Amino acid sequence: MKSIAEKLGVSASTVAVELDRLGARKMIRRDDVLRGFEQMKQHPDFSFILGMIWGVGSLIGDKFVIRHKNRQIIDRIHSLLKLAYVPEPYLVRGRPTIQIRMTHPLFRFLMDAGWIGRKSEGRDIPQCELDMRSFLCGYVRVHHSLNWSRNKVRKIPYLRLRIYGPPAIIEKMSDHLTEWTGVGRKNLHPHSISEKMVTIEYSKRDEVEILCGFLGLQIPEKPTIPEIKEGESI
């Protein structure tokens, strides 16, 4: 509704009134939303999408907000949430955003599963039935950096995968990735920006390739040596 209003240069209420007048807008009942939400939870992608929501969702005022600079991420999330009649994404300060009312069953589900604000201490994985592999893959999709850096001694490019988030989640992440893929277990390191987050880093080529295949990450094209200055990454 808001996206239509923005394109037409009118208010969302004006669009709603006109659609109702034309009989073009379906009246969504609470029972429709509840049935859609139950259908959404049974979907094979639910745990993966939950991982992304757990990583980028936040509470702003009386709305649960999901936003990310990558439109494809938001569209992927909404492709499932629309089953429960979650409104279409729209731009807020140039960033694709999904807003969910606190009365929506998804918000209650997140609260019951232990979700707390992104800036809160003690954030952990959901306390609910889920596919842990899919959940962690979804979480990594929105909480990683994958780039080429340059060895300071040998001056050659190497791949580097860093995964970041709250200590409890990242510690479990490290354990599970070692168990599932056989890569070495990594120690937690302080995050460069947030003192409430930590990072694990993989820089062995074979391990990075194994993890990218497992997590569904695309390896960026290898640059030529002059394209990377010492100490930089791309």
Side-chain angles (χ1 to χ4, degrees):
M1 189 75 68
K2 289 184 178 180
S3 60
I4 296 175
E6 289 174 356
K7 291 180 180 179
L8 296 177
V10 298
S11 67
S13 60
T14 298
V15 175
V17 168
E18 187 62 19
L19 290 176
D20 289 340
R21 185 184 68 81
L22 296 172
R25 188 168 67 143
K26 178 183 177 181
M27 300 301 295
I28 306 301
R29 299 174 301 173
R30 179 69 176 176
D31 287 347
D32 296 327
V33 176
L34 292 174
R35 279 195 296 270
F37 177 66
E38 291 302 318
Q39 181 184 0
M40 186 182 78
K41 287 198 299 181
Q42 300 304 316
H43 196 281
D45 285 345
F46 179 70
S47 292
F48 181 83
I49 299 299
L50 178 61
M52 291 198 284
I53 293 173
W54 209 260
V56 298
S58 59
L59 191 59
I60 301 178
D62 62 347
K63 299 288 194 307
F64 184 78
V65 176
I66 305 167
R67 55 187 176 185
H68 196 274
K69 62 183 178 181
N70 187 333
R71 178 74 195 212
Q72 292 180 335
I73 294 290
I74 293 299
D75 286 344
R76 178 73 186 278
I77 293 173
H78 189 261
S79 69
L80 184 63
L81 299 193
K82 67 182 181 181
L83 295 177
Y85 299 96
V86 170
E88 293 280 340
Y90 64 99
L91 293 180
V92 177
R93 297 178 181 177
R95 179 169 292 194
T97 302
I98 298 171
Q99 286 194 351
I100 301 173
R101 294 179 182 274
M102 295 173 67
T103 56
H104 194 280
L106 175 59
F107 180 75
R108 176 46 53 194
F109 174 86
L110 293 171
M111 295 300 101
D112 291 344
W115 184 89
I116 55 178
R118 295 174 63 185
K119 296 182 180 180
S120 302
E121 299 281 356
R123 299 190 67 207
D124 208 333
I125 61 174
Q127 302 301 306
C128 63
E129 184 177 346
L130 52 74
D131 181 333
M132 185 60 70
R133 293 191 184 191
S134 294
F135 171 82
L136 292 179
C137 284
Y139 189 88
V140 171
R141 192 64 59 90
V142 295
H143 269 266
H144 81 279
S145 63
L146 174 62
N147 52 41
W148 289 90
S149 190
R150 190 175 75 160
N151 186 292
K152 294 182 179 180
V153 177
R154 300 176 62 190
K155 311 295 185 183
I156 58 175
Y158 69 93
L159 262 178
R160 179 172 60 184
L161 170 63
R162 289 179 288 191
I163 302 170
Y164 54 91
I169 295 180
I170 299 304
E171 185 169 18
K172 292 181 176 68
M173 179 84 67
S174 180
D175 290 340
H176 281 307
L177 291 179
T178 296
E179 175 188 353
W180 295 333
T181 69
V183 299
R185 190 186 186 284
K186 302 302 180 183
N187 294 325
L188 309 184
H189 299 284
H191 192 269
S192 60
I193 298 176
S194 174
E195 61 182 17
K196 296 181 180 180
M197 293 198 296
V198 294
T199 303
I200 51 177
E201 180 174 318
Y202 300 88
S203 56
K204 291 183 179 180
R205 178 66 181 266
D206 58 340
E207 290 190 341
V208 175
E209 290 180 345
I210 289 171
L211 289 172
C212 286
F214 180 81
L215 297 168
L217 304 177
Q218 185 174 0
I219 296 177
E221 184 177 352
K222 184 177 180 179
T224 58
I225 296 177
E227 291 180 4
I228 305 179
K229 297 180 181 180
E230 185 172 337
E232 290 186 343
S233 60
I234 63 172

